[in-house]
Amino acid sequence: MTASADAASGARLSPVARAKAILGGSAGNLVEWYDWFAYAAFTLYFAPAFFPKGDQTVQLLQAAAVFFLGFVARPVGAWLMGMYADHAGRRAALSASVALMCGGALIIAVTPGFNAIGLWAPAILLFARVLQGLSVGGEYGASATYMSEMAGKNRRGFWSSFHYVTLIAGQLIALGVLIVLQRTLGEAELKAWGWRIPFIIGAILAVVVFWIRRGLEESIAFKRSAQRESLSRGQVASAAVFLALTVIAGVLGVTTGPLAKPGQYLGALFLLAFFVSLIVPLVRRHPRESLLIMGLTAGGSLTFYVYTTYMQKFLVNTAGFSKGQASEISALSMIGFMLAQPLAGWLSDRLGRKPMLILAFGGGALTIWPIMTGISHATSVSSALALILAGMAFQSCYTSISAVVKAEMFPAEIRALGVALPYALANVLFGGTAEMVALAFKHEEMESAFYLYVAAVMTVGLVCSVLLKDTMRNSLIHED
């Protein structure tokens, strides 16, 4: 038997072993995203606790800014954990990422409010959110890579779709906790202390998953990869310098003196330089793959956050639904969205990845304006829900295969980094800013212009889908 044939034979997993690996890897993904989305789900209640009293939209903007800064940390986590996953193994990176998430959730749960410790409250909240950003940034690449490598060639689209099933399930659990607390506690109690409960739950679940992940089987693709990625001292040095300059400029930017404005502009410039220093080595080695992933992620992540985390606020602030109704609409729509993932993943195994992506971005760009306009004028829960599900149907054609498409583009020795870093950078620029951009348009009474912005970014994803080779037929995952 040849070496390649022997490798192929040894690489095959039994159905039970494959399902165990997929479920084991996805359990941590669920907890990671529960903790991440708990922040967004409970923003309406904890924003007054951490930020000075004022207009509700202004408080939401401040909380959204912290949400965005958590996104800023994600490329750092993607870079560090991606390199770690490609060097030490997928299992080690998965365990490290869930440990960071546990720490971030616990800190948020126990931090006193603004009235008790003043500006320390939002500062500690920011620190905790950065920890969670590092965690999620590392989680995506490691879990997407692990699940795609363990899925098997013939049903890789189907099995890897559970990456988004558990991502959505994490958000659903966060919404479920929100609905239960809304039904059992009064609004005053939720704002006073009830919002801390979901973060305590998240920290406890993270401990359980850390133990589960320590027992996972390492992927065959990593075991058989002959090469290992190593950090370049030059890249580390340049990234450290730009990060330090960003922090210094950011500190100046929050002062009230004459250096505030220059500090803000320099902070943005140094942050951009920092991101460039992270991505340039990868782009040099894999330019087409890196840029295509960034384009797909820009459209996919922006639309995902519009229909999920921002939608709850949109239903309250624009459509006029109560907070309880908005939570229930969001929960029902997410259940439908979650159930659609395996079906869309299964279709990609038969039709190919490329046709699904073209449908996702083409259909999404054409329908975002009428869907958002219709929701803003909806007068019943059922009509708003139907419109959201229509948009999510197109979105499912991307989300179900987003992990596997990225993983199939890269060789094993750089796969986790290649999946994680371009995704995280595009997420910062488009997913992380979705709420801030939407609320800023609303604050200026130009909310409908936001729909055009989303359509334009989705069009970029459509162009990338057309240029992309069908990764199902050109996959670089050879171990099955």
Side-chain angles (χ1 to χ4, degrees):
M1 180 180 291
T2 65
S4 60
D6 181 66
S9 175
R12 294 191 186 98
L13 294 174
S14 69
V16 173
R18 197 181 302 282
K20 182 179 178 180
I22 296 296
L23 293 175
S26 61
N29 195 49
L30 183 150
V31 175
E32 288 267 358
W33 290 101
Y34 163 81
D35 281 328
W36 181 257
F37 283 119
Y39 181 99
F42 283 85
T43 297
L44 290 167
Y45 296 103
F46 73 72
F50 283 97
F51 302 101
K53 295 186 181 299
D55 178 75
Q56 184 185 44
T57 301
V58 173
Q59 287 183 338
L60 289 176
L61 277 168
Q62 291 171 324
V66 175
F67 189 76
F68 168 67
L69 290 172
F71 270 89
V72 171
R74 287 169 68 165
V76 183
W79 180 54
L80 292 175
M81 290 290 186
M83 296 291 290
Y84 185 53
D86 287 330
H87 181 76
R90 321 307 191 205
R91 183 179 63 180
L94 289 171
S95 299
S97 68
V98 81
L100 283 174
M101 183 59 77
C102 176
L106 188 60
I107 290 171
I108 294 175
V110 302
T111 300
F114 182 86
N115 291 337
I117 58 175
L119 291 174
W120 282 107
I124 295 173
L125 175 67
L126 174 60
F127 172 73
R129 197 60 183 168
V130 167
L131 283 183
Q132 291 187 319
L134 291 171
S135 171
V136 172
E139 168 71 19
Y140 182 86
S143 62
T145 298
Y146 180 79
M147 293 176 71
S148 296
E149 288 175 344
M150 301 296 279
K153 180 179 179 180
N154 293 332
R155 294 186 178 179
R156 187 169 288 134
F158 172 77
W159 284 114
S160 64
S161 72
F162 285 88
H163 184 264
Y164 246 91
V165 168
T166 51
L167 185 156
I168 297 166
Q171 185 169 358
L172 274 172
I173 294 173
L175 281 171
V177 171
L178 175 61
I179 292 170
V180 169
L181 291 177
Q182 285 174 332
R183 292 184 180 275
T184 55
L185 299 176
E187 185 160 339
E189 292 173 307
L190 272 170
K191 288 184 175 180
W193 55 269
W195 61 265
R196 298 181 186 275
I197 295 174
F199 297 103
I200 295 172
I201 294 172
I204 294 171
L205 290 175
V207 172
V208 174
V209 170
F210 178 83
W211 175 76
I212 292 173
R213 282 189 160 177
R214 296 303 299 169
L216 284 178
E217 183 76 18
E218 184 58 84
S219 78
I220 295 170
F222 173 77
K223 289 179 180 179
R224 292 185 174 167
S225 176
Q227 302 180 41
R228 292 286 182 267
E229 285 297 302
S230 60
L231 286 170
S232 162
R233 291 183 179 180
Q235 186 186 14
V236 172
S238 63
V241 168
F242 286 126
L243 181 59
L245 291 172
T246 301
V247 172
I248 293 170
V251 171
L252 292 175
V254 298
T255 63
T256 57
L259 295 178
K261 279 292 183 184
Q264 293 170 5
Y265 290 127
L266 286 173
L269 181 63
F270 289 140
L271 181 62
L272 180 61
F274 171 65
F275 288 157
V276 170
S277 71
L278 295 184
I279 194 67
V280 162
L282 182 64
V283 172
R284 284 176 178 166
R285 292 184 59 182
H286 301 277
R288 180 181 175 86
E289 294 82 358
S290 300
L291 295 176
L292 285 174
I293 286 177
M294 292 184 73
L296 293 171
T297 302
S301 292
L302 173 60
T303 311
F304 175 78
Y305 281 99
V306 167
Y307 283 129
T308 56
T309 57
Y310 176 65
M311 183 54 65
Q312 188 178 355
K313 300 171 184 64
F314 182 80
L315 288 168
V316 173
N317 286 346
T318 299
F321 290 96
S322 68
K323 291 177 183 177
Q325 287 176 318
S327 297
E328 291 174 7
I329 291 170
S330 295
L332 291 171
S333 65
M334 291 301 293
I335 291 172
F337 192 32
M338 179 179 68
L339 295 176
Q341 303 306 303
L343 173 61
W346 175 79
L347 284 173
S348 80
D349 287 329
R350 281 144 184 80
L351 304 178
R353 320 290 187 226
K354 184 170 182 172
M356 300 293 287
L357 292 175
I358 291 173
L359 179 60
F361 292 109
L366 290 173
T367 58
I368 187 68
W369 177 284
I371 286 175
M372 295 298 286
T373 302
I375 295 169
S376 69
H377 293 95
T379 56
S380 67
V381 168
S382 58
S383 60
L385 176 61
L387 287 166
I388 295 170
L389 287 174
M392 286 180 164
F394 287 109
Q395 181 71 0
S396 296
C397 297
Y398 163 76
T399 54
S400 62
I401 58 174
S402 63
V404 68
V405 165
K406 298 177 181 73
E408 287 174 334
M409 290 186 190
F410 289 94
E413 68 270 11
I414 200 171
R415 184 170 293 139
L417 180 65
V419 169
L421 187 54
Y423 165 84
L425 286 172
N427 241 334
V428 169
L429 296 174
F430 297 96
T433 60
E435 282 195 36
M436 286 195 301
V437 173
L439 289 169
F441 274 117
K442 180 175 178 59
H443 195 64
E444 297 297 326
E445 299 182 351
M446 299 171 55
E447 193 163 28
S448 59
F450 177 66
Y451 315 155
L452 293 176
Y453 164 72
V454 177
V457 178
M458 291 196 75
T459 301
V460 173
L462 175 61
V463 172
C464 292
S465 301
V466 172
L467 295 175
L468 180 73
K469 293 180 180 179
D470 195 322
T471 60
M472 185 183 75
R473 297 174 177 83
N474 299 276
S475 176
L476 294 182
I477 303 176
H478 301 301
E479 300 81 9
D480 292 304

